[in-house]
Amino acid sequence: MPATPTDRRPTAGRVPATDRPHRGRASTALVWGAAVAQPFLFLLAARTGPYRSTELRLFLTAVAVGLTLPLARRNPLAALGLLLAGLFAAATTRPDGALLYLPVLAADALVGRIAALRPPRILLPTALGALVVQIGAATYTTSGQDVFVSTVVALALALLTAGLLGRSVRERRDHAAELRAATAAEAVAAERLRIARELHDVVAHSIGVIAIQAGVGRRVIDTQPAEARNALATIETTSRETLAGLRRTLGALRGATADGRPAPRDPAPGLADLERLAASTADAGVRVELRHLGNPDLALPPEVDLAAYRIVQESLTNVVRHAAVPVCRVTVERRTDTLLVEIADEGRGAPPGADTRGGYGLVGMRERAALLGGSLTAGPRPGGGFHVTALLPLPAGLPEGTPAP
C-alpha cells in the first residue's frame, strides 16, 4: 500500500525539520547559560578558603574559563564582557594572584579574536575597556607602587600583542581573499581571450572564403551555371568545416553533455592540415605555395602544432582580404629547438605610416606566440607586400614520427 503523507516517519538518525529550530534555540540557551554561570563559578573558586587546596581553586578557575569558550566562538564581545565581570568580581575578594593568570590570558585571547574578526572602531574601545578592568583587578591583588606599575605595563603589553596578532591574522586572511579574487578574475580574463582567439580563428578564414565565393556565384549564375555550382559547392564545404570547428570549440568549453558524458571532440587542426587550408584559400582566389624545411618527422607538441596552424590560417585570411595578390608563400621550418613559420606575399601591404599592430587577428597571433614563449613579427616587406614571421620554441628531446604528448 503506498505511503501517504500521514504514514511517513522521520528516518532514524535524522532530525525532522520542525525540530531543528527548537534544537537551535536550546543550544543557544545552553551556551549563554554556561557563559553567564562563569562569573559565579569563578567567584566561588576565588572565595574557597585557605583550608581548600590550591589545585582545587585552579581547577574551578579553569572550568569557569572553559564555560565561556562556546560563546566565544559565536559572540566574542559578549564572552569577553562576562569573563571580565567574573575577573573583577573575583579580584575584589583579594585572592591569590595566580588564580587571575588564566582569566587574564583568556581575556587577551578574546581581544585577539575580536581583532581578527572586527574592524578597528570596535577593537580599540574593546581593548581599552579590557585593559581598564584588568588594571582595576590588579589594584586588589598587588602591593607596592613598583609592583603595580610593572603589572600594568605587563597587562598593556599582553593586550597590545594580542591585538597585533589578531590584526595580522585579519590582514593575512584579507590578503588571501584578494589574491583568490585576483586569480579568479585573471583566469576568467585569460579564458575569455582564449575563447575569443578560437572563435576568431575558426570563423574569420571561412567567412572570408564564403563571402568571395558567394560574390563569384552571384556574378556568373546567369552566364556560367557550372562555375556558380562550383562556388556553391565550395560554400557548402567551407560552411560544414566551420560548423565542425565551432562544435569542437563549444564542446571543449562545455566539457560534458547534459547527460554527464564527455562532449565529443574532433582532433584539433595542425600543420598536417595545411594542404587542406591551402586548397580552401585557392578557392578564394589566392594560390598558396607551401614549403616544409628541416626534419619533417620531428613531432610537435599539440599546443605548438595548433598555434602554428592558427597563425598560418589568420595570415592567409588577411592575404585574401587585403593583399589583392594571386599567390603567397608559406614556409614551415622544423629546427632543433624552434619552429619557424613565415607567410609572405607581394601584394599591396600596409600603407606608409600605418599601425601594423593590427586588429584582433594580429593581436591573437601575437598572444598565441607569447603564451608559448615565442615571438611574432608582422609588417610590410621592403620590396612590397607583407610578411608574418613566428618563432615558436620546441622542448628538447622531441620524438620522431609520433605526436608529442
Side-chain angles (χ1 to χ4, degrees):
M1 181 177 180
T4 62
T6 56
D7 295 329
R8 294 177 183 150
R9 300 289 185 268
T11 306
R14 296 180 61 183
V15 180
T18 54
D19 292 344
R20 291 172 189 168
H22 300 289
R23 289 205 171 190
R25 287 193 291 268
S27 174
T28 301
L30 183 62
V31 168
W32 277 94
V36 171
Q38 175 270 143
F40 300 99
L41 182 59
F42 192 20
L43 187 61
L44 176 64
R47 287 184 172 180
T48 301
Y51 57 92
R52 300 290 185 181
S53 66
T54 302
E55 290 78 6
L56 176 59
R57 286 180 289 183
L58 291 175
F59 172 75
L60 292 176
T61 301
V63 172
V65 172
L67 291 176
T68 62
L69 293 180
L71 183 61
R73 298 183 59 185
R74 299 187 179 191
N75 193 333
L77 282 172
L80 178 62
L82 290 172
L83 186 62
L84 292 175
L87 172 65
F88 187 80
T92 58
T93 65
R94 300 183 182 276
D96 185 2
L99 294 179
L100 303 182
Y101 292 163
L102 184 58
V104 168
L105 291 176
D108 292 346
L110 284 173
V111 170
R113 178 171 175 79
I114 293 170
L117 298 177
R118 303 298 175 88
R121 59 184 176 82
I122 295 178
L123 169 64
L124 293 179
T126 300
L128 183 60
L131 180 60
V132 170
V133 173
Q134 290 179 1
I135 292 175
T139 60
Y140 291 95
T141 58
T142 57
S143 59
Q145 184 176 1
D146 294 340
V147 176
F148 178 75
V149 171
S150 61
T151 301
V152 170
V153 171
L155 292 173
L157 289 177
L159 270 174
L160 179 62
T161 302
L164 291 177
L165 288 176
R167 292 300 302 173
S168 176
V169 171
R170 181 184 178 93
E171 290 174 359
R172 286 200 302 269
R173 184 172 61 244
D174 294 343
H175 181 63
E178 291 175 359
L179 285 180
R180 288 193 297 269
T183 301
E186 184 178 353
V188 169
E191 184 66 10
R192 290 178 64 182
L193 286 176
R194 187 183 71 84
I195 294 171
R197 284 195 302 268
E198 283 298 315
L199 292 178
H200 180 277
D201 293 342
V202 167
V203 174
H205 177 78
S206 301
I207 293 300
V209 173
I210 290 172
I212 292 175
Q213 291 297 322
V216 171
R218 180 179 59 83
R219 286 192 297 269
V220 302
I221 191 169
D222 295 327
T223 58
Q224 303 179 43
E227 188 68 22
R229 282 194 296 270
N230 291 336
L232 291 175
T234 301
I235 292 173
E236 179 183 8
T237 302
T238 305
S239 301
R240 292 183 184 277
E241 292 176 353
T242 304
L243 182 59
L246 287 174
R247 285 174 177 169
R248 181 175 60 250
T249 301
L250 296 177
L253 295 175
R254 185 172 61 245
T257 56
D259 56 3
R261 293 178 299 176
R265 300 182 184 180
D266 298 329
L271 294 180
D273 300 301
L274 287 184
E275 296 289 346
R276 180 170 53 84
L277 180 62
S280 65
T281 306
D283 291 336
V286 177
R287 181 169 58 87
V288 179
E289 297 179 355
L290 283 175
R291 290 196 306 168
H292 291 275
L293 305 177
N295 184 3
D297 296 327
L298 182 64
L300 298 176
E303 62 275 10
V304 175
D305 200 20
L306 175 61
Y309 176 85
R310 293 302 190 197
I311 289 172
V312 175
Q313 183 184 46
E314 175 61 24
S315 299
L316 294 181
T317 300
N318 291 336
V319 172
V320 171
R321 287 180 175 178
H322 309 299
V325 67
V327 63
C328 73
R329 293 181 299 277
V330 175
T331 302
V332 178
E333 182 178 356
R334 290 173 168 86
R335 300 173 178 174
T336 303
D337 56 353
T338 308
L339 178 69
L340 169 67
V341 178
E342 185 176 18
I343 303 94
D345 65 77
E346 298 179 355
R348 292 177 298 188
D355 184 3
T356 58
R357 287 175 296 181
Y360 295 121
L362 287 178
V363 170
M365 288 193 290
R366 287 194 174 93
E367 288 176 348
R368 285 186 182 276
L371 287 175
L372 298 175
S375 61
L376 185 140
T377 59
R381 299 174 62 197
F386 201 82
H387 76 93
V388 175
T389 302
L391 288 173
L392 306 178
L394 299 177
L398 285 176
E400 295 185 2
T402 57

